[in-house]
Amino acid sequence: MEYGFTTAAYVVASVLFILSLGGLSGQESAKRAIWYGIAGMGLAVLATLFGPGAGNWFLSLVMIVIGGTGGWIVAKRVQMTEMPQLVAAMHSLVGLAAVFVGFNAQIELARVMRARLEGVETVWTGFAALLASKTSAEIAMLKIEVFLGVFIGAVTFTGSVVAFAKLSGRVDGKPKKLPGGHMLNAGALALAVLFGILYFTGVGPGVFWLIVITLLAFFIGYHLIMGIGGADMPVVVSMLNSYSGWAAAAIGFTLGNDLLIVTGALVGSSGAILSYIMCKAMNRNFVSVILGGFGGETGPAAEIEGEQIAIDADGVASALNEADSVVIVPGYGMAVAQAQGAVSELTRKLRAAGKTVRFAIHPVAGRLPGHMNVLLAEAKVPYDIVLEMDEINEDFPSTDVVIIIGSNDIVNPAAQDDPNSPIAGMPVLEVWRAKQVFVSKRGQGTGYSGIENPLFFKENTRMFYGDAKDSINKLLPMID
């Protein structure tokens, strides 16, 4: 009866998770999708707590209270601009959990095998009872699952920690590799496989081999992500999301938990698909992403001629008042300045004046997929005027004014013109084809990715320096 209830609950939870993922494809359906996910997770936790083999309810309750309280506090404190690094931090916890589960499984397995060898009759409970019921072939498969869970989890943990540090500005966003580059990663991987074979064949203490494998995987995760530049961090976050899913699936196999297998596979596959889609949007090779082999320069960048010409709020407002069509390109700078509210108000005033206003969203704008869409929806910008790159790129030549708010790489013409640029070949928003371009930017620096942008030096571009929120607020009273 208990197994039937747990299985039924897991099936319902799996369906809810699938509905949640499917609903996230649209801004309106996403509101429902979040509740599907919450309900599915709540049901999954209850089914696990009261399912067969469960125990230590008091300790479990304490852990749930501590984790839930911590999650609530973090959710209340984290700003929308900090969501990318929060997601990376959550991925690291999933990876670390996989490592802990793998080590616990090996410790319990060692106890069971020792009792078998000594011929000791023991009444096993909990996870040990599951291990005791396994055949030799099933134990061999379990060891493979433990190896994969620990390895993928450890790579995910350190990779996500480095991603968090880069996204939060604690580590320089430029790609960095140790001498030897990819050969170091390949060597560490080969050693991990070798030690995995020794672990599988039972040569020496299993925990020792797992420790060595974990340390090697820690290095691989660290070195992979350190070698990726800031311009490519949105893809990195998506990739780590996939890794965390496969780590969770490996945990599910180890624990014999069908729901973890299903949800881990859902997260892993959806993260991989999203990474592939984003790689296509950035003209990157998917295998190179997985191996951490992109984000660096291929040669000396082309020299940029001209100078950056500044403009004040009066000049921008005058151009907006005379324009018939306006396209706004938001980027991470808008998020940092929390300018989405001011941008929404500017949009309302321009539309009230009879002007056509639209937003151009690049697939990797910001530091997290969909980041800009969420910010604009939060500010109540109408969904129907928020367009993807492919929908709006051909309209720039007929656009009177483009306002760029805190974007750099996604509007960089070097992607098309300079084969030595780190973003060479990446599809970008061709804003320079518009009649006038205004760039809202704090200063003359190259920004997070460290890539110079020739757009800022073009004749039809003017630099509107200052904090994005303050700059947009200055424009509001001047719009007729």
Side-chain angles (χ1 to χ4, degrees), residues 347-393:
T347 302
R348 187 193 66 78
K349 294 196 72 171
L350 288 172
R351 296 183 80 193
K355 304 178 189 303
T356 300
V357 183
R358 293 176 296 171
F359 286 78
I361 307 296
H362 192 279
V364 294
R367 298 185 189 173
L368 190 72
H371 198 187
M372 295 301 104
N373 301 76
V374 172
L375 287 176
L376 295 175
E378 179 188 41
K380 295 183 170 43
V381 172
Y383 300 149
D384 60 336
I385 65 171
V386 180
L387 305 179
E388 300 297 325
M389 177 179 64
D390 294 340
E391 299 175 291
I392 201 169
N393 239 359

Side-chain angles (χ1 to χ4, degrees), residues 7 10 17 47 60 63 79 122 183 193 200 268 275 291 299 378 424 443 449 462 479:
T7 301
Y10 282 175
F17 290 146
S60 298
M63 293 297 100
Q79 300 294 324
T122 305
M183 292 305 297
V193 172
F200 179 77
S275 297
L291 298 179
E378 179 188 41
S449 67
R462 295 294 181 267
I479 302 301

Side-chain angles (χ1 to χ4, degrees), residues 136-350:
S136 297
E138 289 173 332
I139 287 175
M141 184 59 66
L142 174 74
K143 283 192 168 185
I144 296 176
E145 295 161 5
V146 169
F147 167 76
L148 291 174
V150 169
F151 181 81
I152 298 173
V155 170
T156 303
F157 173 69
T158 49
S160 298
V161 169
V162 173
F164 169 83
K166 285 196 171 191
L167 289 166
S168 60
R170 291 172 169 82
V171 171
D172 190 353
K174 294 181 180 179
K176 296 179 181 178
K177 288 188 179 75
L178 295 174
H182 295 304
M183 292 305 297
L184 283 176
N185 296 334
L189 176 60
L191 285 174
V193 172
L194 173 62
F195 293 134
I197 293 172
L198 293 175
Y199 166 69
F200 179 77
T201 55
V203 178
V207 171
F208 172 75
W209 297 126
L210 284 183
I211 291 173
V212 177
I213 291 166
T214 301
L215 293 176
L216 289 168
F218 278 164
F219 169 77
I220 293 172
Y222 162 81
H223 199 229
L224 276 176
I225 308 307
M226 281 298 294
I228 297 176
D232 301 312
M233 287 312 292
V235 183
V236 172
V237 173
S238 176
M239 181 178 67
L240 289 169
N241 179 54
S242 179
Y243 289 173
S244 70
W246 298 124
I251 294 174
F253 279 109
T254 301
L255 298 177
N257 189 301
D258 295 336
L259 183 60
L260 264 178
I261 297 171
V262 171
T263 54
L266 283 173
V267 174
S269 57
S270 61
I273 292 169
L274 179 59
S275 297
Y276 176 74
I277 292 172
M278 294 177 71
C279 285
K280 287 189 66 177
M282 298 177 70
N283 195 34
R284 302 294 192 192
N285 182 278
F286 184 67
V287 176
S288 295
V289 176
I290 300 299
L291 298 179
F294 66 113
E297 296 182 6
T298 57
E303 293 186 8
I304 300 175
E305 299 180 353
E307 60 178 340
Q308 296 185 22
I309 302 176
I311 193 171
D312 58 16
D314 288 333
V316 178
S318 176
L320 287 173
N321 285 326
E322 294 175 3
D324 292 321
S325 59
V326 177
V327 172
I328 301 174
V329 180
Y332 191 69
M334 184 187 78
V336 171
Q338 298 185 32
Q340 59 267 29
V343 171
S344 178
E345 179 61 17
L346 176 65
T347 302
R348 187 193 66 78
K349 294 196 72 171
L350 288 172

Side-chain angles (χ1 to χ4, degrees), residues 90-165:
M90 295 298 103
H91 292 162
S92 73
L93 295 180
V94 176
L96 192 59
V99 173
F100 285 149
V101 169
F103 273 88
N104 180 69
Q106 173 55 37
I107 292 170
E108 290 294 290
L109 178 61
R111 287 177 57 212
V112 171
M113 297 304 292
R114 192 181 305 114
R116 282 186 181 180
L117 289 173
E118 295 173 355
V120 177
E121 292 292 333
T122 305
V123 179
W124 302 103
T125 59
F127 182 57
L130 175 66
L131 296 176
S133 66
K134 290 183 177 292
T135 64
S136 297
E138 289 173 332
I139 287 175
M141 184 59 66
L142 174 74
K143 283 192 168 185
I144 296 176
E145 295 161 5
V146 169
F147 167 76
L148 291 174
V150 169
F151 181 81
I152 298 173
V155 170
T156 303
F157 173 69
T158 49
S160 298
V161 169
V162 173
F164 169 83

Side-chain angles (χ1 to χ4, degrees), residues 72-89:
W72 176 269
I73 293 173
V74 170
K76 295 292 286 184
R77 290 183 177 179
V78 171
Q79 300 294 324
M80 189 61 69
T81 55
E82 300 170 325
M83 286 303 294
Q85 47 262 50
L86 175 64
V87 171

